[in-house]
Every structure is written in C-alpha cells, then in structure tokens.
Amino acid sequence: QRPIIITMWSSTNNHHPPLSISGLNLFFTLLLTSLTLSNNASGLKLFTHPHGRLHRLTGLFHLLCLLYGALFLIYNNHHTQNVVKNDWQMKCLVYDITLGTSGIITTLTAASSFPHRHILNRPGESGTLAKRAIVTQGEMVEHSFYQGVNLVQVVYLHLVTWALVGEERLEVVVVFGKRFGMLLLVTLPWAIRKRFPVNSFSANWRNNTVEMNKNNRHDNRGIRVGTEKESKYLWLINGMYRFKKWQYVFYKHVILHGLNISVASSHQSYKNDDTTLPLPLTPQWRIFWLLLNTSYVMEFFLQSLVKRQVLSQKFMMVLNALLMISASIASMESNVLGQVKLEAALISLFLNFYNRGHDVLNTMVTFIIVHFGNKFIRM
C-alpha cells in the first residue's frame, strides 16, 4: 500500500507561535535554569540521593520524556515537516503510553518511597501550594487516578480512529454497539473512583474551619504541619484553588467525558487512505496533551523544589500559574473544543450535580441521549 504523506505544522509555521507553545517554552526554560543555577546543585541532587532511588530514577525518566516532547513541539513549530501517517500514528501512540505510564509510576513510587502517609496538613491547606504544608500520600494517590484516566482516554482516542475505519459497511446496530462498548471501557475506571482519596478544592478556601479544627484536636494519626491561616500569600493561594476548581470542572465535562461522548456519537468515519489527521495526531492536541501531563507532575515536583530551597514560594506559584494558564489556552487553541458537542458537555455537567458519584452511568446515559437525539434531529 502506498504510504500517505502528511504535512505537519504548516498552519503554525509563522513568526507568532501559539501562546501555549510560548508558555511551555518559558516554563521549561525557567525550570531548567533554576535547577542548574541552584546553590550546591541541590536541585540536581533530587535525582541522585540514595533514599527513594526508584522514585528519583522514574522521576528523572519522566522529566526527560516531558523535555523530549517539549523540545520536539517547540522545534517543529518553526519547521514544516512531512510525515508518513501510519508511522506518525504509531510514534504518537508509543510516546503517549510511555509518558502516561511513567507519570503514574513516578507518582506511586513517591507515595510509597517517602513517609507522606504520616503527614496531616492544617485544615484548608494543601501541600501543593502552601509553603510549610507537605504533599500527603492521599493527594499523590488521588493524582495517580486522574493520570490513569488521562492515559486510558488518549489510548481510546487513538484506537477509535482505527475502529471507525470501514464503519460505513456495517449495520447500524453493530456500529452503535461497538461505539457504546468502547465508550463504556474508557469510562469504567470511574467505577473505582471511590476507592481513591478525595481532596476537595473548596476545602482550601473555606474560612469557617471551626468544626474541622474541633475534630482535628482528636486526630492523632499523623504529624500536623502547615502554615497559619494568616499567611500573606493566602489570598493568592485561595484564588489559584478557585481557578483550579473550575478548570477541573471544564476538564472533566468538556475535555474528558464531553470529548469521549462526542467522539463515540460522531458520524465521522475514517478511511485508510484519508489524509485528514485524527484528533490525537494533530499538533494542537500534542501541545495540550503535553501541558496536561506536565501540570499533573509539576504540581508536586515544584513543591519539592521549594522544600529544597531551589525555588522561592512566590516563584513556585508563578510557575504553577504559568502552567495553569498555558494548559487552559492550549485547550482553547486546539481543535479539541471543535470536536466536543455542546449538548454532551452540558448534559454531563447537569448529571454530575444531580446524580453525583455515578460517572459511568451518567456518561452512558448522556451518550444515548446525544446519539439518538442527533438521529432524531437529522430525520
């Protein structure tokens, strides 16, 4: 079969790179500069200290994966490149699985290698932003769940491209069953969400903690750490957590459930000789996917750098804000939003508030409503 040649990055090959690429470039430049110029190379020692060696090695590997992806995207943003579609598809799939898996392993080895299970922060303070608070084991394990969800989703987006090939020759019932089954599989991890810790965003900015403090006086399970509520950065930390809260809502019901449902209910089918790039192969998605993975691990790594006095608390929050803004811009710049059906995102959001904790059921119900609703409108 004759190979299909696709021109990549031609639409972004100009003197004004996307803001998300600029943010990604700036973030890694600042991070690597801080690690390199830190006193006594304390930043680099994070990867060489013998304690928790497995975590340090997996963390280094994951950082190198992120840097490879970032350099690849930054370089190719300024250079038009022709690629063979099937080769590019396989390279993207292998990289995405490698990056997602190494991120999960890095998080879980951190949770098991260090005594974070003994840490209890003050009410309303998370170890990811508060200066003297420490990341708890529960926060790490919770992050690993979402990293797993992201990995399953990107594999789904890759595989659905191949699964849609030749669908026009199949019976309608067979097509519906296949799409229903694939969506069910990618949503099934949410069936075990309750087995993982839950750390509420809103708990970080609630001022009324009298009842929580009352309960915590009798909690002797661990070491109490954290700053006082009068921290001079409290207003900024609270603002960042409010932003994270709504960023999470957008991510869950637009980028995650909304996109998965929209892909499953799409009437689009692919052909082997189609020169159209599926979503996970587009440069815009590659940028968003890398920023999403970077955000998940850097939230913890940057706080470790503060503890090592490689970064100041203020500079750490600047880097966190840069990542948050860049990832949000990437989701807007990419063609992700163009793939998401508005009704899928809105129904998913509605069911989340009125049938909370039943993501698998909510997602499948939303798919059925969207799928048959679109068929009814097209009649």
Side-chain angles (χ1 to χ4, degrees):
Q1 186 180 357
R2 185 172 149 186
I4 302 170
I5 308 297
I6 297 175
T7 301
M8 301 288 293
W9 289 281
S10 58
S11 61
T12 59
N13 186 21
N14 50 55
H15 298 294
H16 302 286
L19 288 175
S20 54
I21 278 283
S22 301
L24 183 69
N25 188 3
L26 179 59
F27 173 81
F28 278 111
T29 299
L30 294 173
L31 176 64
L32 292 178
T33 301
S34 299
L35 285 173
T36 306
L37 300 180
S38 59
N39 295 331
N40 301 320
S42 56
L44 298 177
K45 286 181 181 177
L46 282 170
F47 303 107
T48 58
H49 196 281
H51 178 62
R53 178 162 289 166
L54 178 60
H55 167 66
R56 297 178 195 278
L57 291 176
T58 56
L60 177 60
F61 176 78
H62 189 63
L63 178 61
L64 293 175
C65 285
L66 291 172
L67 288 172
Y68 169 79
L71 290 172
F72 181 84
L73 290 172
I74 292 168
Y75 173 81
N76 283 288
N77 179 68
H78 300 284
H79 298 80
T80 301
Q81 180 180 354
N82 293 327
V83 297
V84 179
K85 182 179 179 180
N86 289 341
D87 290 348
W88 175 242
Q89 197 166 25
M90 188 55 62
K91 288 177 181 177
C92 288
L93 178 60
V94 171
Y95 176 77
D96 290 345
I97 292 176
T98 302
L99 184 65
T101 304
S102 67
I104 296 170
I105 294 174
T106 298
T107 301
L108 292 179
T109 52
S112 61
S113 298
F114 302 101
H116 291 262
R117 62 184 178 276
H118 300 301
I119 298 300
L120 292 171
N121 292 314
R122 292 181 187 276
E125 290 187 342
S126 168
T128 57
L129 290 181
K131 185 175 182 179
R132 292 186 177 86
I134 297 177
V135 177
T136 64
Q137 187 181 62
E139 288 176 311
M140 294 181 185
V141 174
E142 182 184 30
H143 258 58
S144 71
F145 170 79
Y146 286 104
Q147 288 173 299
V149 167
N150 292 336
L151 175 59
V152 171
Q153 183 193 31
V154 80
V155 172
Y156 162 78
L157 293 175
H158 279 290
L159 296 184
V160 79
T161 302
W162 291 310
L164 294 181
V165 173
E167 271 196 342
E168 64 276 1
R169 299 190 300 269
L170 300 177
E171 295 289 334
V172 175
V173 176
V174 175
V175 172
F176 174 80
K178 183 169 67 171
R179 291 180 178 231
F180 185 93
M182 293 185 69
L183 180 62
L184 179 61
L185 287 175
V186 76
T187 313
L188 271 180
W190 288 90
I192 60 171
R193 175 65 184 94
K194 293 180 180 179
R195 295 178 179 269
F196 290 78
V198 176
N199 293 279
S200 171
F201 285 105
S202 59
N204 291 288
W205 68 72
R206 287 176 183 154
N207 293 321
N208 186 8
T209 59
V210 175
E211 188 62 33
M212 286 191 290
N213 286 327
K214 178 181 176 181
N215 294 333
N216 285 325
R217 283 199 295 268
H218 306 287
D219 194 341
N220 299 314
R221 293 175 298 168
I223 303 168
R224 177 74 57 195
V225 297
T227 59
E228 297 298 332
K229 298 298 288 184
E230 292 81 12
S231 168
K232 62 181 180 179
Y233 294 118
L234 184 61
W235 66 272
L236 179 58
I237 293 174
N238 287 348
M240 290 179 70
Y241 274 119
R242 288 180 186 274
F243 184 85
K244 281 176 175 286
K245 166 69 176 180
W246 292 107
Q247 189 180 42
Y248 169 75
V249 171
F250 174 83
Y251 151 79
K252 182 178 180 182
H253 299 289
V254 178
I255 304 299
L256 193 64
H257 293 326
L259 179 60
N260 291 345
I261 295 166
S262 299
V263 169
S265 60
S266 171
H267 299 290
Q268 182 179 11
S269 61
Y270 294 95
K271 299 179 180 178
N272 287 323
D273 58 350
D274 195 350
T275 58
T276 303
L277 277 178
L279 176 64
L281 306 186
T282 60
Q284 295 85 1
W285 171 267
R286 308 307 309 165
I287 297 169
F288 171 74
W289 168 248
L290 186 65
L291 278 164
L292 182 66
N293 280 271
T294 304
S295 299
Y296 268 94
V297 294
M298 286 300 162
E299 197 170 37
F300 296 153
F301 183 56
L302 293 179
Q303 188 57 260
S304 297
L305 295 181
V306 172
K307 299 295 186 290
R308 282 273 187 164
Q309 297 183 334
V310 176
L311 303 177
S312 68
Q313 174 75 2
K314 183 184 293 186
F315 189 54
M316 180 274 291
M317 288 193 288
V318 168
L319 290 179
N320 256 306
L322 178 60
L323 264 184
M324 290 163 56
I325 295 171
S326 298
S328 299
I329 292 175
S331 67
M332 301 297 179
E333 286 180 339
S334 71
N335 50 0
V336 174
L337 293 184
Q339 300 276 342
V340 177
K341 296 179 179 179
L342 179 61
E343 61 272 24
L346 291 178
I347 296 173
S348 175
L349 179 63
F350 173 82
L351 291 178
N352 176 76
F353 287 109
Y354 287 91
N355 193 33
R356 188 179 296 273
H358 299 87
D359 286 87
V360 178
L361 176 61
N362 293 346
T363 300
M364 303 318 297
V365 168
T366 302
F367 167 68
I368 292 173
I369 293 173
V370 172
H371 179 80
F372 288 103
N374 288 339
K375 281 188 172 297
F376 178 78
I377 292 174
R378 292 172 62 196
M379 289 177 59

Short mmCIF file of all heavy atoms in Angstrom, two decimals, residues 8-14 283-284:
data_model
loop_
_atom_site.label_atom_id
_atom_site.label_comp_id
_atom_site.label_asym_id
_atom_site.label_seq_id
_atom_site.Cartn_x
_atom_site.Cartn_y
_atom_site.Cartn_z
N MET A 8 2.98 18.43 8.34
CA MET A 8 2.69 18.79 9.73
C MET A 8 3.15 20.21 10.02
O MET A 8 4.14 20.69 9.47
CB MET A 8 3.42 17.83 10.67
CG MET A 8 3.04 16.37 10.49
SD MET A 8 1.39 16.04 11.09
CE MET A 8 1.61 16.29 12.83
N TRP A 9 2.43 20.86 10.93
CA TRP A 9 2.81 22.15 11.48
C TRP A 9 2.84 23.29 10.47
O TRP A 9 3.30 24.38 10.78
CB TRP A 9 4.17 22.09 12.18
CG TRP A 9 4.10 21.33 13.44
CD1 TRP A 9 3.62 21.75 14.65
CD2 TRP A 9 4.47 19.97 13.64
NE1 TRP A 9 3.68 20.75 15.57
CE2 TRP A 9 4.21 19.64 14.99
CE3 TRP A 9 5.01 18.99 12.79
CZ2 TRP A 9 4.46 18.39 15.51
CZ3 TRP A 9 5.26 17.75 13.31
CH2 TRP A 9 4.98 17.46 14.66
N SER A 10 2.35 23.06 9.26
CA SER A 10 2.39 24.15 8.28
C SER A 10 1.50 25.31 8.72
O SER A 10 1.79 26.47 8.43
CB SER A 10 1.94 23.65 6.91
OG SER A 10 0.64 23.10 6.97
N SER A 11 0.41 25.01 9.44
CA SER A 11 -0.50 26.07 9.87
C SER A 11 0.07 26.91 11.00
O SER A 11 -0.37 28.02 11.24
CB SER A 11 -1.84 25.46 10.33
OG SER A 11 -1.62 24.60 11.43
N THR A 12 1.07 26.37 11.70
CA THR A 12 1.66 27.11 12.82
C THR A 12 3.06 27.62 12.47
O THR A 12 3.76 28.14 13.32
CB THR A 12 1.74 26.22 14.08
OG1 THR A 12 2.53 25.07 13.78
CG2 THR A 12 0.38 25.82 14.55
N ASN A 13 3.45 27.43 11.23
CA ASN A 13 4.80 27.82 10.83
C ASN A 13 4.82 29.31 10.50
O ASN A 13 4.74 29.71 9.36
CB ASN A 13 5.25 26.97 9.64
CG ASN A 13 6.70 27.22 9.27
OD1 ASN A 13 7.47 27.70 10.09
ND2 ASN A 13 7.04 26.92 8.04
N ASN A 14 4.92 30.15 11.53
CA ASN A 14 4.93 31.58 11.31
C ASN A 14 5.74 32.26 12.40
O ASN A 14 6.36 31.60 13.22
CB ASN A 14 3.50 32.13 11.30
CG ASN A 14 2.71 31.66 12.51
OD1 ASN A 14 3.14 31.86 13.65
ND2 ASN A 14 1.57 31.04 12.28
N PRO A 283 -1.04 18.62 15.76
CA PRO A 283 -0.08 19.38 16.58
C PRO A 283 -0.74 20.06 17.77
O PRO A 283 -0.16 20.14 18.85
CB PRO A 283 0.48 20.40 15.60
CG PRO A 283 0.28 19.81 14.24
CD PRO A 283 -0.99 19.02 14.34
N GLN A 284 -1.98 20.54 17.58
CA GLN A 284 -2.67 21.24 18.67
C GLN A 284 -2.95 20.31 19.84
O GLN A 284 -2.78 20.68 21.00
CB GLN A 284 -3.98 21.85 18.15
CG GLN A 284 -3.79 22.94 17.11
CD GLN A 284 -3.64 22.38 15.71
OE1 GLN A 284 -3.69 21.16 15.49
NE2 GLN A 284 -3.45 23.27 14.74
#
